[in-house]
């Protein structure tokens, strides 16, 4: 079953065309990794999937709903698709637990006690049980990023987007975040990752997409892309990063 | 990085007051010492008679001072509410809202307070008629409204700046969790703005309080008018001016200085948190 389907999407910021016709299909429970050089449009692409970027042309279908349609219920969409950002973007004036509980209570209008139970469980899952009442400023980058993941998961999304989530982290905390993502993927969550962690992408991905200059240059299973890339640009990029 | 300052417990007003008293022991000593010296000078120069006069008139002056406080208090409430609305209007995406609100902001921010005071005094009616009943509008009400206008304009700018100082990523993050604009504003942006705007807000309150004696020019019987009236009633000797106005100064100082200290303490606390 197809979870995400992009058809010939174009995106411009002012005069700069960032995405020049991208099409891809990601099925349910698939883990897709988007790799490519900086400025190739990876982050812009992932933000189109939950409507944070409004596309200029094309069609984005998420869980069977055409989200490029202006009349689509954006808020409903956002609750189905969680996103985790490079800079965590936690709410600094709220505790860890409050960060996780806020959206389900305010947006989904769920019962506070039920949400609290779920939030506590999620924070246990990301191994932050001892930090429930800490503020984001008191946590390390890796811990903050795990809170951000728990915060997205609290909305019980069907798709999770990860936008270079380890790029701002210290090397020793990268692993703890990757472990969390891996567990999610193993639980059958549909995941789309923009990442620079090639080893991790190879290990976790079902499909790897290599983007350059606003287009998908090639895609396929990790072994194919990593070990025997067909396009010269992919080859050059992999030589540089591996 | 100071993490302890982050906890709510450490932020309670009581802790601040305690900290100020601990840190400002020398200041309290200085105040006590000056009072003693002041008293001694009075005795030595035979000015104790003037002191008696001052003590006799002090309640009258103090009553006026309470009117200053009332004006500052109500003015600040009005200015804060209007300033918040103005701040929101200033960041609106609709030009039909931003342009007039910018005009209002600029007019009141760049006019002398005294001019605003005069205009308000003459613009507002002396009394209003509601259902045949006549209600007089006291002068200090009008002055309160007048003082709130320039403060409103300045607070509007402060609120606008505070909202814009919150990183765009906070909006994005709330957006991605499904918050609508109003929820983002109320639960994410404004709570963070309060912390940023609080020191400036308090600073404007202090300035406003210090400006309230201007109302005396228009016949409002606040502390300065009362002091002048008291000095005149007591014989208007130049030897009376010094103790009376010093007393008046002390009243304002004792009220405003702790506010200034608290403002600094909050600023310091905030700068720690951002590290």
């Amino acid at each position: 079953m197809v979870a995400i389907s992009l058809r010939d999407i174009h995106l411009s910021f002012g005069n700069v065309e960032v995405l020049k016709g991208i099409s891809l299909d990601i099925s349910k429970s698939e883990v897709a990794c988007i790799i490519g050089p900086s400025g190739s449009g990876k982050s812009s692409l992932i933000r189109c999937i939950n409507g944070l970027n409004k596309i200029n042309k094309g069609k984005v279908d998420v869980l069977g709903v055409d989200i490029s349609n202006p009349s689509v219920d954006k808020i409903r969409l956002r609750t189905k698709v969680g996103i985790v950002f490079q800079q965590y973007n936690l709410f600094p004036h709220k505790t860890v637990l409050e960060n996780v509980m806020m959206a389900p209570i305010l947006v989904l209008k769920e019962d506070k006690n039920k949400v609290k139970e779920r939030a506590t469980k999620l924070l246990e899952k990301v191994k932050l049980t001892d930090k429930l009442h800490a503020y984001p400023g008191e946590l390390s980058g890796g811990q903050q990023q795990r809170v951000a993941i728990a915060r997205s998961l609290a909305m019980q999304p069907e798709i999770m987007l990860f936008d270079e989530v380890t790029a701002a982290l210290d090397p020793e905390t990268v692993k703890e975040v990757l472990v969390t993502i891996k567990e999610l993927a193993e639980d059958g969550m549909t995941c789309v990752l923009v990442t620079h962690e090639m080893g991790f992408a190879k290990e976790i991905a079902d499909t790897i997409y290599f983007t350059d200059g606003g287009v998908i240059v090639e895609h396929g299973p990790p072994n194919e892309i990593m070990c025997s890339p067909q396009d010269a640009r992919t080859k050059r990029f992999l030589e540089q990063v591996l | 990085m100071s993490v302890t300052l982050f906890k709510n417990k450490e932020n309670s007003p009581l802790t601040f007051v305690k900290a100020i008293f601990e840190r400002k022991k020398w200041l309290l000593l200085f105040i006590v010492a000056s009072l003693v010296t002041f008293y001694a000078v009075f005795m030595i120069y035979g000015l104790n008679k003037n002191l008696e006069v001052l003590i006799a008139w002090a309640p009258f002056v103090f009553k006026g001072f309470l009117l200053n406080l009332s004006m500052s208090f109500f003015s600040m409430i009005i200015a804060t509410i209007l300033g918040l609305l103005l701040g929101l209007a200033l960041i609106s995406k609709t030009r039909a809202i931003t342009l007039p609100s910018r005009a209002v902001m600029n007019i009141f921010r760049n006019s002398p307070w005294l001019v605003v005071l005069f205009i308000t005094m003459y613009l507002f009616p002396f009394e209003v008629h509601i259902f045949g009943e006549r209600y007089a509008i006291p002068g200090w009400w009008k002055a309160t409204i007048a003082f709130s206008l320039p403060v409103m304009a300045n607070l509007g700018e402060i609120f606008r700046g505070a909202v814009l100082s919150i990183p765009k990523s906070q909006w994005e993050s709330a957006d991605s969790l499904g918050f609508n604009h109003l929820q983002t504003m109320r639960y994410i942006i404004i709570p963070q703005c309060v912390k940023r705007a609080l020191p400036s807000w308090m600073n404007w309150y202090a300035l406003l309080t210090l400006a309230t004696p201007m109302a005396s020019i228009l016949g409002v019987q606040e502390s300065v008018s009362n002091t002048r009236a008291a000095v005149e009633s007591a014989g208007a000797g130049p030897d009376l001016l010094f103790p009376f106005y010093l007393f008046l100064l002390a009243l304002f100082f004792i009220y405003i200085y702790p506010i200034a200290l608290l403002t600094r303490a909050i600023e310091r606390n905030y700068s720690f948190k951002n590290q």
Side-chain angles (χ1 to χ4, degrees):
Chain A
M1 192 192 149
V2 176
I4 303 163
S5 152
L6 308 185
R7 283 289 162 274
D8 191 33
I9 61 165
H10 290 257
L11 175 74
S12 304
F13 294 128
N15 293 325
V16 186
E17 196 174 26
V18 190
L19 301 179
K20 302 168 183 166
I22 285 195
S23 301
L24 56 80
D25 285 299
I26 296 168
S27 38
K28 229 172 169 150
S29 296
E30 185 177 340
V31 177
C33 287
I34 303 168
I35 60 169
S38 308
S40 62
K42 306 183 298 287
S43 289
S44 307
L45 172 60
I46 204 171
R47 280 153 188 255
C48 291
I49 299 175
N50 75 340
L52 276 181
N53 281 345
K54 286 192 185 70
I55 57 167
N56 303 88
K57 212 183 109 195
K59 194 161 172 266
V60 180
D61 266 331
V62 176
L63 302 165
V65 181
D66 176 10
I67 69 155
S68 25
N69 185 343
S71 68
V72 75
D73 184 354
K74 277 269 157 62
I75 289 178
R76 233 185 106 64
L77 162 75
R78 298 277 157 76
T79 64
K80 299 269 182 205
V81 185
I83 185 166
V84 182
F85 302 95
Q86 181 176 344
Q87 294 293 344
Y88 347 122
N89 301 356
L90 295 176
F91 305 130
H93 60 301
K94 297 281 179 187
T95 64
V96 165
L97 188 61
E98 285 167 343
N99 261 282
V100 178
M101 288 172 63
M102 258 178 123
I105 292 173
L106 293 170
V107 178
L108 302 178
K109 316 275 181 220
E110 284 187 82
D111 175 64
K112 207 175 165 179
N113 292 323
K114 237 177 75 188
V115 174
K116 192 170 180 178
E117 202 178 303
R118 191 163 79 224
T120 316
K121 258 186 209 154
L122 281 168
L123 286 165
E124 197 179 318
K125 202 172 155 189
V126 297
K127 300 180 185 63
L128 285 170
T129 311
D130 53 332
K131 299 285 183 193
L132 295 187
H133 301 291
Y135 284 88
E138 299 171 270
L139 303 181
S140 73
Q143 291 171 328
Q144 290 195 51
Q145 196 57 291
R146 282 181 284 151
V147 176
I149 293 173
R151 182 175 70 173
S152 285
L153 290 176
M155 295 295 278
Q156 298 179 306
E158 293 175 34
I159 298 169
M160 282 291 281
L161 311 174
F162 297 93
D163 186 5
E164 298 190 32
V165 288
T166 55
L169 298 179
D170 296 330
E172 67 265 30
T173 54
V174 166
K175 206 178 161 207
E176 59 193 37
V177 173
L178 294 184
V179 166
T180 307
I181 298 174
K182 199 177 168 205
E183 279 171 8
L184 262 179
E186 280 163 1
D187 287 348
M189 175 71 77
T190 311
C191 294
V192 185
L193 291 92
V194 169
T195 186
H196 288 298
E197 301 283 333
M198 293 306 147
F200 181 66
K202 192 177 173 185
E203 180 190 335
I204 193 179
D206 296 313
T207 318
I208 289 186
Y209 292 86
F210 176 74
T211 59
D212 192 16
V215 293
I216 292 173
V217 176
E218 63 179 305
H219 69 97
N223 278 332
E224 233 171 70
I225 300 286
M226 297 280 191
C227 306
S228 51
Q230 299 304 305
D231 196 282
R233 280 177 288 181
T234 321
K235 278 179 196 159
R236 203 173 336 119
F237 175 73
L238 288 172
E239 270 165 24
Q240 276 166 4
V241 295
L242 286 179
Chain B
M1 185 167 108
S2 167
V3 285
T4 45
L5 277 160
F6 218 101
K7 284 170 190 145
N8 275 335
K9 182 174 70 181
E10 308 262 332
N11 272 337
S12 81
L14 203 75
T15 324
F16 271 135
V17 172
K18 267 190 204 155
I20 285 168
F21 271 97
E22 265 167 35
R23 215 173 288 142
K24 303 288 169 180
K25 262 182 216 146
W26 56 268
L27 183 89
L28 293 173
L29 262 170
F30 175 75
I31 290 173
V32 172
S34 2
L35 286 176
V36 172
T37 320
F38 191 50
Y39 185 71
V41 168
F42 263 84
M43 299 311 276
I44 292 162
Y45 290 94
L47 292 170
N48 50 340
K49 219 183 83 205
N50 289 339
L51 193 63
E52 274 162 29
V53 177
L54 175 61
I55 289 168
W57 284 101
F60 181 61
V61 172
F62 190 73
K63 208 181 124 200
F65 181 65
L66 288 181
L67 194 59
N68 288 85
L69 295 193
S70 305
M71 284 193 284
S72 74
F73 192 67
F74 291 116
S75 238
M76 200 60 185
I77 292 176
I78 298 170
T80 304
I81 294 168
L82 294 181
L84 260 176
L85 295 175
L86 184 63
L88 293 179
L90 285 168
I91 49 170
S92 160
K93 287 194 180 86
T94 320
R95 277 176 78 81
I97 297 173
T98 39
L99 289 181
S101 53
R102 215 178 289 165
V104 168
M105 184 269 290
N106 277 317
I107 288 168
F108 287 115
R109 220 158 76 105
N110 301 304
S111 307
W113 292 26
L114 197 55
V115 176
V116 178
L117 186 65
F118 274 121
I119 292 173
T120 316
M121 280 292 182
Y122 296 123
L123 217 61
F124 271 77
F126 171 68
E127 53 185 21
V128 284
H129 299 258
I130 301 170
F131 302 119
E133 295 280 332
R134 288 203 305 185
Y135 296 95
I137 301 178
W140 74 271
W141 277 36
K142 292 196 225 172
T144 300
I145 290 165
F147 291 133
S148 70
L149 295 173
V151 179
M152 163 200 79
N154 284 287
L155 291 183
E157 265 296 270
I158 288 165
F159 295 143
R160 185 190 68 90
V163 170
L164 293 183
S165 77
I166 306 295
K168 216 181 129 226
S169 57
Q170 289 285 308
W171 285 94
E172 212 167 50
S173 172
D175 190 9
S176 74
L177 287 166
F179 285 64
N180 62 33
H181 188 83
L182 213 69
Q183 286 171 327
T184 308
M185 214 50 186
R186 183 170 158 202
Y187 296 103
I188 310 297
I189 305 300
I190 291 182
Q192 294 186 60
C193 289
V194 169
K195 255 184 223 152
R196 293 183 187 209
L198 194 61
S200 314
W201 182 85
M202 287 169 63
N203 194 30
W204 276 103
Y205 177 67
L207 287 174
L208 167 66
T209 311
L210 291 175
T212 52
M214 266 187 231
S216 68
I217 297 168
L218 294 149
V220 175
Q221 294 185 352
E222 47 68 69
S223 57
V224 174
S225 330
N226 284 8
T227 305
R228 207 163 44 204
V231 170
E232 275 163 23
S233 309
D239 53 331
L240 281 171
L241 293 177
F242 180 64
F244 268 84
Y245 282 102
L246 195 67
F247 174 66
L248 185 58
L249 209 123
L251 282 181
F252 275 97
F253 186 85
I254 289 167
Y255 182 67
I256 301 289
Y257 189 61
I259 297 178
L261 286 182
L262 194 61
T263 310
R264 272 201 186 179
I266 290 173
E267 269 174 356
R268 201 169 30 236
N269 190 37
Y270 176 62
S271 67
F272 268 119
K273 268 184 216 166
N274 263 0
Q275 277 172 12

